[in-house]
Amino acid sequence: MRIAALVSSLTVAVVLSGCGVVRQDVTRSNTDHLSFNQNADAVAIQEQANALNLMADQLVRRSTVRGAVTGAAVTCGLAALSVGSAQSCVVGAAAGGVAGAAVGRAKGEREVAQRVELVSANALVRSIRGMNGQMSAIELSLPELLAEQDAELADLQIRRATRAVTQKEYENGVRAIRESRATIAEALTLTIEQTEVASRNMTVAMQQGQSGLDWHLNAANQLGREAHSARSTISPIGPLSFAQDERVALNAAPRSGELR
């Protein structure tokens, strides 16, 4: 009888222990599944934001006035000269050349406009098109990520208040979301700053005599506005007290007799 009772007790203990392990695994699996999906989406958008930032940096370099010249203006060394000096130089060079003294100042100015390319308009178009593609992808996917993160934050708050997750698990989950948002916001902020620099560079090129950059300037400004709009949708995450978490959980939990 004692042996039978002992075997029965051991059997019950093993069964209960096994049930406890199953419940723990299911809870942890659910939590990890949410984090895995959210992290995958966050990494994808962070890569898009970083790619946008690299393209914006390229736009800055391509919009920087470099003083590239062709034709008769090469001999004038226009890389560091103002438009006024460049025009005088071309006029002087033309007057002493084949055209002779008949070439006047007006013709020299037209030649400068044709021969001096301070920035490459075609290169700017390539950068702007690439940035437009990345920005469109971010505008499409960022709202979905933020909604997923908000839902996970709410779930973490409820689980913490009901002791379904430990304090460390809660803090790790919130920290991951906070860092993800900060990384994306930082990349967008850098893009905003770089489009502003590129716009100033193009304005300088236009002031120094290069024409045909109106579309490029407007496109750069538009990209800056879109990056600013995307960044404004990223709300920072502040720390919640445990009492606040409990109120969130109580408000979210179903009341007696109420079906979720």
Side-chain angles (χ1 to χ4, degrees), residues 162-245:
T162 58
R163 308 300 198 276
V165 295
T166 66
Q167 175 67 19
K168 185 174 181 59
E169 289 172 333
Y170 170 82
E171 291 175 354
N172 288 341
V174 173
R175 184 182 302 110
I177 295 176
R178 181 185 292 116
E179 291 176 354
S180 168
R181 293 190 176 189
T183 299
I184 297 171
E186 181 181 7
L188 290 172
T189 298
L190 289 175
T191 296
I192 295 169
E193 295 173 353
Q194 288 166 323
T195 55
E196 291 174 350
V197 173
S199 295
R200 289 196 295 270
N201 288 345
M202 283 183 265
T203 299
V204 169
M206 294 170 69
Q207 290 173 345
Q208 293 187 6
Q210 183 165 348
S211 60
L213 294 180
D214 292 329
W215 178 89
H216 308 74
L217 179 60
N218 291 334
N221 289 333
Q222 178 63 26
L223 282 166
R225 288 191 292 269
E226 291 176 1
H228 186 277
S229 177
R231 187 190 63 180
S232 67
T233 64
I234 304 175
S235 58
I237 302 173
L240 290 175
S241 67
F242 187 67
Q244 287 175 311
D245 287 343

Side-chain angles (χ1 to χ4, degrees), residues 21-90:
V21 171
V22 170
R23 285 197 299 268
Q24 181 180 5
D25 290 344
V26 170
T27 300
R28 191 175 302 277
S29 176
N30 290 341
T31 303
D32 291 345
H33 179 69
L34 284 172
S35 298
F36 174 79
N37 288 340
Q38 183 269 318
N39 287 339
D41 293 339
V43 169
I45 298 181
Q46 288 171 16
E47 291 176 350
Q48 291 172 349
N50 290 336
L52 177 67
N53 186 236
L54 291 175
M55 291 178 181
D57 182 66
Q58 183 184 63
L59 181 66
V60 170
R61 295 196 305 271
R62 288 178 169 177
S63 65
T64 301
V65 172
R66 66 181 187 278
V69 294
T70 59
V74 172
T75 59
C76 299
L78 299 182
L81 296 178
S82 65
V83 173
S85 299
Q87 292 171 344
S88 300
C89 175
V90 171

Side-chain angles (χ1 to χ4, degrees), residues 150-165:
D150 288 342
E152 184 168 356
L153 284 171
D155 181 76
L156 283 169
Q157 292 162 12
I158 294 173
R159 287 172 177 266
R160 179 195 181 197
T162 58
R163 308 300 198 276
V165 295

Side-chain angles (χ1 to χ4, degrees), residues 98-122:
V98 178
V103 178
R105 181 176 181 84
K107 184 176 181 180
E109 291 176 353
R110 287 195 300 271
E111 289 178 352
V112 168
Q114 295 172 354
R115 296 174 179 174
V116 179
E117 185 183 44
L118 300 174
V119 296
S120 172
N122 291 334

